[in-house]
Amino acid sequence: MAWVWFHRFGSPPWVYGFARRWAPWFGAVAGVLMLVALYGGLVVAPPDYQQKDAFRIVYVHAPCATLSLMIYTTMAVSAAVGLIWRIKVAHAAAAACAPIGAWFTVATLGTGMLWGKPMWGAYWVWDPRLTSELILLFLYLGYMGLRAAIEDPQKADKASAVLAIVGIVNVPIIRYSVVWWAGLHQAPTKKLGADADMTGDMVWPLLMMLLAFTLYFVAVFLIRLRAELLRRERTATWIREVLA
Amino acid sequence: MSEFLSMSGYGRYLWPAFALGFGVVVLNLVLAWSSLRSAKALARRRMEMRS
């Protein structure tokens, strides 16, 4: 089979149809997984021996934080694809990512502050992880602001793509800030098995919640992508057919 | 039940954190639907103007 099957992702009508068909399925599976993970995180998982029940904030904080980084990476890669190969759908995908990612960054910072207060005694400290996450929020806001400020859509696509690509440097900084610099934020919890940081009944709700949030993002992204394509393809004949 | 809600004394941090996180989940969905609705309305208006 020739490696051309993915070319259809460059076609706005095909992508619009794909998004319309699949968004409800991604959303439904995400909803079910979220409910099961919520039960696992709030009821099944035992309290942490140090943080007691406060540790359960991880079930909402970690998925939000993961999405804030994953969405930015998706946005920057889409912007780069759009810039290099001049694919309109890629620019639309990048634009669709930005508001979702910005909201998840707000949720990451907010839930982190609510976790920080009982653990560190303060809602906010200028810790490397918190500061780099705040910079991520400014990058999202800057990207959306730049798009909104330029009237010509093609110029807006190019300028915002450059900003998104430059800003990707902040993603590894956020990821490794807890390793590179000393701060209050804990290092990543990654050990499993006999000497695990978390027991199995603590881990499965977290992994399930991460999967649920990822599928949820895909569903919301596909809805936003449809809106973005409708706005961009204003003169296309396929719009008449899909709206009929 | 009150023991569950208290979350060993951390309920006043835990429940607002869950409300914020899942509030953003709901908000993102509502905003995405509203964006799609307005894009559809705009596209229909354009079609009517052109025809």
Side-chain angles (χ1 to χ4, degrees):
Chain A
M1 191 177 78
W3 284 94
V4 291
W5 58 268
F6 57 87
H7 286 186
R8 66 183 75 161
F9 284 97
S11 156
W14 189 88
V15 170
Y16 188 92
F18 175 86
R20 186 161 61 177
R21 265 193 312 278
W22 285 98
W25 291 103
F26 280 108
V29 176
V32 171
L33 289 179
M34 257 181 216
L35 289 176
V36 177
L38 207 53
Y39 177 78
L42 290 174
V43 179
V44 177
D48 180 69
Y49 81 107
Q50 277 184 321
Q51 298 192 21
K52 308 290 180 221
D53 284 308
F55 103 94
R56 295 182 202 278
I57 295 176
V58 76
Y59 295 112
V60 65
H61 177 69
C64 288
T66 305
L67 273 200
S68 72
L69 296 180
M70 187 198 294
I71 296 171
Y72 193 90
T73 308
T74 309
M75 184 176 93
V77 170
S78 300
V81 168
L83 201 60
I84 295 164
W85 287 290
R86 297 182 183 183
I87 298 172
K88 284 188 287 184
V89 175
H91 284 301
C97 283
I100 312 170
W103 276 114
F104 275 109
T105 310
V106 169
T108 305
L109 291 167
T111 55
M113 288 165 79
L114 286 162
W115 200 357
K117 177 65 178 169
M119 294 301 120
W120 307 334
Y123 284 108
W124 184 265
V125 284
W126 291 100
D127 171 274
R129 172 62 70 88
L130 276 69
T131 309
S132 51
E133 187 73 22
L134 183 64
I135 291 170
L136 184 72
L137 178 62
F138 293 150
L139 282 168
Y140 275 123
L141 296 178
Y143 177 90
M144 290 189 290
L146 190 58
R147 290 194 71 82
I150 303 172
E151 227 169 274
D152 181 346
Q154 285 184 333
K155 283 184 184 166
D157 281 343
K158 281 184 188 168
S160 59
V162 171
L163 177 62
I165 294 164
V166 170
I168 194 79
V169 75
N170 192 41
V171 171
I173 291 176
I174 296 172
R175 177 74 181 81
Y176 293 105
S177 56
V178 290
V179 179
W180 292 340
W181 299 293
L184 282 175
H185 196 285
Q186 68 170 63
T189 304
K190 57 191 175 190
K191 281 187 290 182
L192 293 172
D195 59 342
D197 296 320
M198 292 173 88
T199 61
D201 43 7
M202 286 172 160
V203 170
W204 75 257
L206 182 58
L207 295 178
M208 190 176 280
M209 196 65 98
L210 285 169
L211 178 63
F213 269 62
T214 305
L215 295 176
Y216 161 85
F217 160 63
V218 175
V220 174
F221 164 74
L222 290 176
I223 297 169
R224 279 214 175 257
L225 184 57
R226 283 172 66 196
E228 198 62 39
L229 289 173
L230 283 178
R231 287 200 187 91
R232 283 159 181 264
E233 299 285 302
R234 56 187 75 170
T235 54
T237 49
W238 67 268
I239 298 247
R240 190 176 290 272
E241 289 161 22
V242 298
L243 290 181
Chain B
M1 186 64 183
S2 64
E3 198 181 322
F4 175 74
L5 290 175
S6 132
M7 285 284 163
S8 57
Y10 293 108
R12 66 190 173 123
Y13 302 107
L14 188 135
W15 297 120
F18 272 79
L20 176 63
F22 286 94
V24 163
V25 165
V26 173
L27 184 72
N28 256 323
L29 197 59
V30 170
L31 291 177
W33 273 118
S34 136
S35 169
L36 180 60
R37 251 202 324 273
S38 69
K40 276 182 178 173
L42 188 66
R44 282 206 179 94
R45 270 204 301 278
R46 282 209 191 100
M47 276 185 350
E48 283 165 10
M49 281 166 66
R50 285 170 63 201
S51 58

